[in-house]
Amino acid sequence: MDPDLPVVTVSLWRADAVVLFDWLMSVDLNTVPIGHPAQKQALVDLLGRFEQGTDVPEVTAEEIAAAQADVAKDMGW
């Protein structure tokens, strides 16, 4: 991350972070529909932040399943 660029801080519910991290680790980003190459790079950057700035990479399969259930619980759409 370039220290000279502006930074945005985003707070995520832990379950959302676990679900996003698990998806980013399992998805082939070459098959994700994107409108601009920067979108793919932003996803790679997000994955890197999860890997370097959190303990999310250490979650177990059971924790991933629980996070998916929590996130999906109140889907109203």
Side-chain angles (χ1 to χ4, degrees), residues 34-54:
I34 60 168
H36 191 279
Q39 294 167 339
K40 180 178 175 182
Q41 185 59 51
L43 290 172
V44 170
D45 292 345
L46 178 60
L47 177 60
R49 295 301 301 149
F50 281 133
E51 290 176 328
Q52 297 170 5
T54 73

Side-chain angles (χ1 to χ4, degrees), residues 53-66:
T54 73
D55 65 347
V56 171
E58 300 164 11
V59 297
T60 64
E62 292 79 19
E63 290 172 306
I64 293 168

Side-chain angles (χ1 to χ4, degrees), residues 3-76:
D4 294 330
L5 295 176
V7 175
V8 174
T9 301
V10 176
S11 296
L12 288 177
W13 186 31
R14 180 171 173 79
D16 284 335
V18 169
V19 168
L20 283 170
F21 176 78
D22 181 59
W23 178 74
L24 286 167
M25 288 298 293
S26 64
V27 72
D28 178 355
L29 290 178
N30 292 320
T31 65
V32 174
I34 60 168
H36 191 279
Q39 294 167 339
K40 180 178 175 182
Q41 185 59 51
L43 290 172
V44 170
D45 292 345
L46 178 60
L47 177 60
R49 295 301 301 149
F50 281 133
E51 290 176 328
Q52 297 170 5
T54 73
D55 65 347
V56 171
E58 300 164 11
V59 297
T60 64
E62 292 79 19
E63 290 172 306
I64 293 168
Q68 290 170 333
D70 285 344
V71 172
K73 186 179 348 184
D74 294 320
M75 290 175 46

